Structure formats: C-alpha cells, structure tokens
Amino acid sequence: MTETVTELPAAAAAGSKSQQAYDAVKARIVEGTYSPGYRLVLASIAKDLGFSVVPVREAIRRLEAEGLVKFERNVGATVAGIDPTEYLYTMQTLSIIEGAATALSAPLIDSVAIARARAVNEEMRECLDHFDPVRFTQLNQDFHSVLFEHCPNPHILDLVHRGWNRLASLRSSTFRFVPGRAHNSVDEHEALLQLIESGADADTIEKAARLHRSATLDAYLAQSN
C-alpha cells in the first residue's frame, strides 16, 4: 500500500518540484511519520507526489546535507537518528545563550508582548489535553521567541537562532519522549512571565530561563538512561 505524503499547502505549489518534494519529506520526518531508520524509496515518494525521481533525489540530497537523512551502503537513503551527544551539547549551549538573551530582553518587553506570550502559553496548556508534541514544540518556540527577540545584542540573538535551528535539524521534539515534562514547562513559562512583569533583576531572570531549558534536557537524559 502506497503511503500518502503530507499534502502541500497551496503556496508551496508555486515553488519548484524539488522544493515541494523537500517540504513534503521534511514535514514527514519532523512529524515522526518517517521515523529514524525509515527507508526513503525515491520511486515511491516520486509516485506519491506525481513527480519524476529527479526532484525527489535533489530534495533527499538537501536533507542529507542538513543531517536529516543518511545514505547506508546496500540500503540507500534512510532517516537519520537523533545523535544524543549532539542534542546534549545543543541544549547545554542553548540554555546559556537563551538565558542571557531573555535577561537582556526583559527590560524591553512591554505589556503587549507579555500578553502575546501568555496567550501562546495558554494554547500550550490547552494542547496538554490532547497532547500533540509537534504542535506543542512549535508553540514552545513561539513563546520563547517573544521573550528573546527583544535582545539588543545581535551576536547573542544570532547564537540563539542557530541553537533553535540545530534543534530543528535534530528533529528534537523532546516532549515526544518525555510528555510529562510539558506540564511543568507551561508552569515555568508563567513563572518567567511573572518575573519579567515584576521587574526582577537580570541575574534572576537569566537563571530562571537557563534552569527552565536545562530541566528539559535533564528530563530527556533521565528517560534515555
């Protein structure tokens, strides 16, 4: 039975077939439909998309360059697994730089931004009832973006973006593996907002943001062990 690839949005249809194939396959990998070790049969994917094999091959090569796909001898293209060491280093680094970015942003975050972040956090809370780790992870990024995007130091902000991009390339929805962590995460978000609203000092905010990030890492490591 041929598996149906995620339907592409209308906007993507205007792009090249290679881009459409890239978007479709990457979406399946990020969602977990194509799990680590899943064999990517080019002819099958091309048939599902209604394309020739050529644009699919180009898409797979792009995904390989991003670390999402690997080629195995006598097997072909497969979905790469999550490197636990790379995840550890990425989360440790992100906890430090995102904590700093959030602390530097705090004095510049107004009531409108606070309200926006709180609204996102409420969506996350509602998401807990019928837990969707991919949706929750996207909302989590939206929440934190409100808190660190005001960072006046462009170098730190660039490092934060790089850290989030690296997590995306690792397909790391930690909440898929430790869903119980999601409840604590929402509560910690509210605590962070209250610290910012109250005008807490930079060190206190930085520490809270850093511990919030490292707590997710600790939960993942505990589950892995």
Side-chain angles (χ1 to χ4, degrees), residues 120 124 132-143 164:
V120 173
M124 296 177 71
D132 177 352
V134 175
R135 171 66 175 156
F136 190 88
T137 297
Q138 181 57 60
L139 288 171
N140 185 55
Q141 181 171 356
D142 293 344
F143 173 86
W164 275 98

Side-chain angles (χ1 to χ4, degrees), residues 1-221:
M1 180 177 179
T2 301
E3 185 173 4
T4 301
V5 176
T6 303
E7 184 177 350
L8 295 168
S16 69
K17 290 182 178 179
S18 175
Q19 181 65 42
Q20 292 179 46
Y22 168 84
D23 291 340
V25 176
K26 184 173 183 178
R28 280 295 178 103
I29 292 174
V30 171
E31 292 166 359
T33 303
Y34 291 168
S35 57
Y38 182 92
R39 188 181 176 202
L40 300 167
V41 181
L42 273 61
S44 177
I45 295 173
K47 182 179 179 181
D48 287 338
L49 291 173
F51 298 159
S52 69
V53 171
V54 175
V56 176
R57 182 181 294 113
E58 292 173 353
I60 296 299
R61 285 173 177 166
R62 284 180 61 187
L63 292 166
E64 181 191 18
E66 294 177 7
L68 293 176
V69 169
K70 64 179 180 178
F71 280 89
E72 297 183 42
R73 189 174 183 178
N74 300 322
V75 175
T78 61
V79 177
I82 295 175
D83 184 336
T85 302
E86 183 68 16
Y87 176 72
L88 169 65
Y89 292 158
T90 299
M91 287 291 281
Q92 286 178 334
T93 302
L94 194 54
S95 70
I96 296 170
I97 58 177
E98 190 177 353
T102 301
L104 289 171
S105 293
L108 305 175
I109 299 176
D110 58 20
S111 58
V112 175
I114 289 287
R116 187 165 73 251
R118 186 163 276 130
V120 173
N121 200 42
E122 284 308 307
E123 286 189 62
M124 296 177 71
R125 195 180 299 279
E126 293 171 4
C127 188
L128 295 174
D129 294 333
H130 302 284
F131 193 58
D132 177 352
V134 175
R135 171 66 175 156
F136 190 88
T137 297
Q138 181 57 60
L139 288 171
N140 185 55
Q141 181 171 356
D142 293 344
F143 173 86
H144 284 286
S145 292
V146 176
L147 301 193
F148 65 65
E149 286 293 355
H150 293 77
C151 179
N153 186 319
H155 297 290
I156 292 178
L157 191 56
D158 178 63
L159 289 173
V160 174
H161 287 156
R162 287 172 182 267
W164 275 98
N165 288 339
R166 186 167 289 114
L167 282 182
S169 74
L170 289 168
R171 293 178 328 293
S172 174
S173 172
T174 310
F175 302 107
R176 184 191 304 279
F177 304 103
V178 284
R181 169 65 190 147
H183 292 77
N184 292 334
S185 183
V186 170
D187 293 338
E188 290 165 16
H189 285 175
E190 177 58 31
L192 262 175
L193 292 177
Q194 291 180 15
L195 283 175
I196 294 171
E197 282 181 312
S198 68
D201 62 84
D203 287 344
T204 299
I205 294 173
E206 186 278 332
K207 183 178 180 180
R210 175 166 45 83
L211 291 178
H212 169 66
R213 174 66 58 189
S214 60
T216 300
L217 172 60
D218 292 342
Y220 175 79
L221 293 176

